[in-house]
Amino acid sequence: MQSLLEWVDARFPLLKVWNEHLAEYYAPKNFNFWYYFGSLAILMLVLQIFSGIFLTIHYKPDVGLAFASVEYIMRDVPWGWFIRYLHSTGASAFFIVIYLHMFRALLYGSHRGPRELVWIMGMVIFVALMAESFMGYLLPWGNMSYWGAQVIINLFDAIPVIGPGLSEWIRGDFVISDATLNRFFAFHVAAVPLVLVILVFMHIVALHRVGSNNPDGIEIKENKGADGIPLDGIPFHPYYTVKDIVAVVVFLIVLSSVLFFAPELGGWFLEHDNFTPANVLQTPPEIVPLWYFTPYYSILRACTPDYMIYLSIFVGIVGAMTLFSARNIMVKAVAVVTPLILIVGFYTLEAKFWGVVAMGVSIMVFFALPWLDRSTVKSIRYRGWMYKTALGIFVVTFLVLGYLGTQPPEGLYKALAQIGTLIYFAFFAFMPWYSQIDKTKPVPERVT
Amino acid sequence: MPVLSVAGGGNGHKLDPVSIDLEDKVSLQRGATIFVNYCLSCHSAAYMRYNRLAKDLKFSDDPKESEKFVAKNMLFAADKIGDLMKAAMPIEDAKDWFGVAPPDLTLLARYRGPDWIYTYLRSFYLDEKSPSGWNNTVFENVAMPHVLYEWQGTQKAYFTKNEEGVKVFDRFEMIKSGTKSPQDFDKDMRDLTNFFVYLGEPSQLKRQRVGWYVLLFLALFLVVTYFLKKEYWKDVH
């Protein structure tokens, strides 16, 4: 055994990789609950790829056969129902894990320097994951699959000049059709998963270069012992491998409880309207995306013509604040010109287009977090009341917007979604100010 | 085609709750018998096979006998026991007769829910304005006639107006009794609904059974992994 290892090691850096990423990768010893979701996200990626391969064996990407082939998997393929539910429950579970993983970064400042690239790569993974799930949702060819894709792809029509051509190019047809189903299948099973795996690899390589953050937001590499090992670090393997396995088992218990006893989860994980085949002539009463997209869907629908006045005031305030606090003349110029262009745009281009823009910005704005946050401390433990309050309000707003996205945008719900949209953007837009003036507590030398 | 798009028409008919029990094989067998005799002539259940029905519903303790029973008593619209449960009536004829192809019913229970099915089946009423002569309070202007009117009898529906002036369902009145008592008819429709829930997901009993074993295994494994973690971490301070 030893000689075999030596033989391999002379030809491949097996020991080096093992040591750098596991046995001699020193992670802070004070990881808490929030630090499980990274390894759980990898577990979910593996489960989705594994179950996806088995589904691909029996699934048929053809508008005449797709719906029936899913039911064939559910009925005639041995354990097909298990594989299918693993994949459908897994999709939602993946998003829950990813959202909690991202929330951890907001809690402890994991996106802050020197981990900006780790965060950006993570955000690219998040966007790729959204594309992956959106395209995967078309494949069962249920009625909600069809109409959901129809509504979302039609959004591109709102882009001036290139819009209609662009949406046609995405569909490969004038309507959602066999051409769309086939290309979504290709992207869902080959292109995007490949990109995801590469991005996850890069995400981890970048993380291991700078080292993990921790609930205290302290750099453990700044306190090394005589042997060059961080005093507050412990080898990832075996300590965090055995710890994460416990989390994996707990997570699998939760996942199995849904998968085996409530795979539809009352319509939240599998929508009732998707148990009837795609029908061009029969629009579902309410077209709603799955829950993990609904906050952004709410933001999209909030942008109606009567909402433009509030958006104008909002960008005006952010522009004015930037104008007065910026020192660089170029930044001052941008702070004046950008809001003016936007306000002119709000009243010249149609509101639907600004809905698409707002939805896009609501996702993309996360990329800017490392630079929006100006606090001298990273962890919420040493921040003042302002950031804590802002984060609390943001989380509640995100959940409320998520619920409103599943409801018809009328009356009180529409008003709430519009207020929520402003709060959502305010969390990011005003962060440079409130994070800076927020009173901080002294950060200890060593982890607690 | 607009007939279908108003499915679940909102005239305020509250759905009656129905109790579902997939362990009740007698009820499922009775539901299956009604289904193949009365529904399958027009509607299909084209994702389901007869032999699966024979296997799961256990018409006999011996699986071979159960298959024989299904082959003898239920195979009206198919030749082989392994066939899919297609409708006896060609879709083209159906379109001619009803103006719309009767929908496939395999997944009806997952799409509509059991309470909807149970209430729908019992809510047909006489309506001279409708092409078939029938209408339904749960599914307004449905193209389907009341297939089981001989069992249930013929009922008339009364409507009132609510505060906003919208027509809402008030009550039914039986104008001609059927061959079955209301209690017996409700029981039959409960059995049929029960069968639809089975038909929507034949694996659900197995799914739940396997689920308990999985959870049991994970619970035991959790104990092992927890102590493993504790053992390793005792020297971390």
Side-chain angles (χ1 to χ4, degrees):
Chain A
M1 192 65 196
Q2 189 61 34
S3 60
L4 176 69
L5 271 179
E6 280 167 16
W7 186 90
V8 172
D9 216 40
R11 289 154 181 83
F12 179 87
L14 190 65
L15 195 65
K16 183 166 165 274
V17 171
W18 171 263
N19 283 338
E20 272 179 21
H21 297 289
L22 288 163
E24 286 171 16
Y25 175 68
Y26 293 95
K29 63 182 184 185
N30 61 335
F31 279 178
N32 61 13
F33 169 77
W34 297 103
Y35 283 79
Y36 289 125
F37 297 101
S39 36
L40 290 179
I42 295 180
L43 172 76
M44 276 324 305
L45 181 69
V46 171
L47 285 182
Q48 289 306 86
I49 289 175
F50 167 83
S51 55
I53 289 169
F54 278 89
L55 289 177
T56 313
I57 291 173
H58 302 285
Y59 171 78
K60 295 204 171 15
D62 176 316
V63 294
L65 304 170
F67 190 85
S69 74
V70 173
E71 280 308 313
Y72 171 77
I73 292 168
M74 293 296 292
R75 288 153 199 272
D76 293 346
V77 175
W79 296 96
W81 57 268
F82 171 71
I83 296 291
R84 196 274 176 114
Y85 282 149
L86 180 60
H87 205 70
S88 63
T89 314
S92 280
F94 206 161
F95 272 94
I96 292 172
V97 166
I98 289 294
Y99 278 135
L100 294 174
H101 189 57
M102 291 167 72
F103 178 62
R104 189 275 315 273
L106 290 173
L107 277 180
Y108 301 128
S110 310
H111 49 72
R112 303 282 303 277
R115 296 181 186 83
E116 299 96 327
L117 267 184
V118 178
W119 173 256
I120 285 175
M121 286 166 182
M123 272 307 298
V124 179
I125 294 172
F126 177 59
V127 173
L129 194 65
M130 292 174 95
E132 177 72 351
S133 61
F134 170 67
M135 291 189 282
Y137 199 62
L138 184 70
L139 304 187
W141 204 245
N143 211 22
M144 197 57 97
S145 300
Y146 179 86
W147 287 98
Q150 184 81 301
V151 167
I152 299 301
I153 297 176
N154 276 348
L155 293 177
F156 291 93
D157 277 345
I159 299 170
V161 189
I162 61 163
L166 180 65
S167 63
E168 199 182 304
W169 182 70
I170 294 170
R171 283 188 297 256
D173 203 337
F174 302 107
V175 289
I176 303 281
S177 68
D178 199 62
T180 323
L181 180 62
N182 270 283
R183 61 184 54 199
F184 275 29
F185 180 69
F187 277 95
H188 182 79
V189 304
V192 184
L194 206 61
V195 169
L196 276 172
V197 169
I198 294 167
L199 283 169
V200 169
F201 177 78
M202 287 167 63
H203 187 62
I204 294 167
V205 170
L207 173 72
H208 288 187
R209 171 78 180 199
V210 291
S212 307
N213 187 34
N214 61 74
D216 283 310
I218 301 167
E219 293 307 319
I220 60 163
K221 284 181 177 178
E222 285 169 10
N223 283 297
K224 284 181 179 169
D227 50 4
I229 294 169
L231 291 169
D232 289 324
I234 47 174
F236 192 90
H237 179 75
Y239 293 105
Y240 281 114
T241 39
V242 293
K243 198 179 177 196
D244 284 356
I245 288 173
V246 181
V248 163
V249 177
V250 173
F251 173 76
L252 286 179
I253 288 174
V254 178
L255 182 75
S256 305
S257 308
V258 177
L259 195 162
F260 290 104
F261 299 101
E264 298 168 16
L265 205 69
W268 285 90
F269 283 12
L270 283 172
E271 291 173 290
H272 299 300
D273 277 310
N274 230 22
F275 284 112
T276 185
N279 187 338
V280 191
L281 298 168
Q282 186 196 342
T283 319
E286 208 42 56
I287 300 175
V288 281
L290 271 186
W291 67 269
Y292 39 79
F293 289 139
T294 49
Y296 320 110
Y297 192 56
S298 266
I299 290 173
L300 168 85
R301 296 192 303 184
C303 295
T304 51
D306 58 326
Y307 191 55
M308 292 302 139
I309 179 72
Y310 302 103
L311 283 183
S312 302
I313 295 170
F314 184 82
V315 295
I317 292 173
V318 176
M321 287 175 70
T322 313
L323 177 68
F324 289 117
S325 46
R327 285 185 213 107
N328 186 318
I329 186 75
M330 282 300 288
V331 177
K332 279 183 192 286
V334 171
V336 175
V337 175
T338 314
L340 286 178
I341 294 174
L342 281 174
I343 291 166
V344 171
F346 289 158
Y347 288 97
T348 47
L349 299 171
E350 54 176 335
K352 187 185 161 195
F353 168 70
W354 292 107
V356 177
V357 172
M359 183 173 70
V361 172
S362 71
I363 297 160
M364 294 303 160
V365 69
F366 280 98
F367 279 97
L369 263 184
W371 297 277
L372 293 176
D373 187 351
R374 300 290 182 84
S375 177
T376 50
V377 302
K378 286 178 191 161
S379 170
I380 197 157
R381 289 182 178 175
Y382 308 109
R383 292 196 196 234
W385 65 270
M386 285 188 202
Y387 184 83
K388 287 177 185 168
T389 312
L391 184 60
I393 293 173
F394 177 73
V395 170
V396 172
T397 305
F398 190 83
L399 295 174
V400 169
L401 284 175
Y403 173 73
L404 294 174
T406 66
Q407 302 296 317
E410 289 154 8
L412 177 66
Y413 282 174
K414 184 185 160 196
L416 280 175
Q418 293 185 327
I419 295 167
T421 300
L422 285 180
I423 296 174
Y424 184 101
F425 286 118
F427 172 73
F428 296 97
F430 299 124
M431 189 181 281
W433 289 281
Y434 69 73
S435 64
Q436 201 163 30
I437 60 173
D438 204 10
K439 264 210 180 66
T440 59
K441 287 179 220 143
V443 179
E445 285 285 306
R446 300 275 302 272
V447 303
T448 51
Chain B
M1 213 45 203
V3 183
L4 259 180
S5 59
V6 291
N11 56 15
H13 192 161
K14 291 256 184 322
L15 298 182
D16 303 328
V18 59
S19 70
I20 295 302
D21 179 8
L22 298 179
E23 303 280 6
D24 186 350
K25 292 286 182 266
V26 177
S27 160
L28 290 179
Q29 289 165 3
R30 171 87 187 117
T33 309
I34 300 173
F35 181 78
V36 293
N37 280 290
Y38 294 90
C39 311
L40 202 56
S41 28
C42 300
H43 292 276
S44 59
Y47 310 120
M48 183 71 181
R49 292 178 198 281
Y50 289 98
N51 56 354
R52 178 68 183 265
L53 198 73
K55 190 180 135 215
D56 289 345
L57 264 46
K58 294 189 173 49
F59 291 93
S60 160
D61 289 336
D62 176 14
K64 279 269 169 288
E65 286 300 312
S66 188
E67 275 201 3
K68 269 188 201 154
F69 179 88
V70 170
K72 190 163 162 253
N73 298 295
M74 295 183 166
L75 233 52
F76 307 129
D79 303 326
K80 296 195 223 63
I81 188 81
D83 279 349
L84 293 166
M85 299 175 74
K86 299 233 168 83
M89 181 177 66
I91 288 176
E92 291 311 311
D93 289 350
K95 278 186 183 159
D96 285 347
W97 295 338
F98 301 114
V100 53
D104 185 275
L105 296 182
T106 324
L107 293 163
L108 184 71
R110 305 199 76 175
Y111 175 46
R112 298 282 194 191
D115 293 351
W116 186 94
I117 300 173
Y118 180 63
T119 315
Y120 169 81
L121 289 167
R122 292 153 51 254
S123 298
F124 283 95
Y125 65 91
L126 273 184
D127 182 0
E128 287 149 14
K129 277 175 259 151
S130 126
S132 68
W134 297 97
N135 207 332
N136 194 297
T137 52
V138 178
F139 191 153
E140 220 178 327
N141 297 327
V142 65
M144 178 176 157
H146 190 9
V147 176
L148 300 175
Y149 77 95
E150 285 186 341
W151 286 8
Q152 188 187 20
T154 309
Q155 54 187 5
K156 243 181 108 174
Y158 289 91
F159 297 88
T160 53
K161 282 202 163 67
N162 68 4
E163 304 90 62
E164 288 139 32
V166 181
K167 190 174 110 171
V168 286
F169 170 71
D170 182 37
R171 70 199 151 81
F172 287 126
E173 195 187 278
M174 196 61 79
I175 49 177
K176 186 166 173 280
S177 317
T179 54
K180 292 191 182 243
S181 69
Q183 291 78 16
D184 283 353
F185 183 70
D186 283 359
K187 196 194 152 293
D188 278 346
M189 293 307 101
R190 185 253 170 189
D191 292 343
L192 182 54
T193 308
N194 207 18
F195 174 72
F196 273 121
V197 174
Y198 157 77
L199 185 64
E201 195 194 358
S203 324
Q204 49 191 305
L205 285 181
K206 183 178 181 184
R207 160 162 71 72
Q208 290 164 10
R209 213 163 41 239
V210 172
W212 288 115
Y213 286 110
V214 171
L215 288 183
L216 184 69
F217 166 76
L218 287 173
L220 294 174
F221 194 48
L222 179 64
V223 175
V224 176
T225 55
Y226 174 75
F227 283 107
L228 182 74
K229 186 255 166 188
K230 227 178 149 187
E231 177 64 25
Y232 270 99
W233 276 70
K234 66 179 183 213
D235 48 349
V236 177
H237 303 289

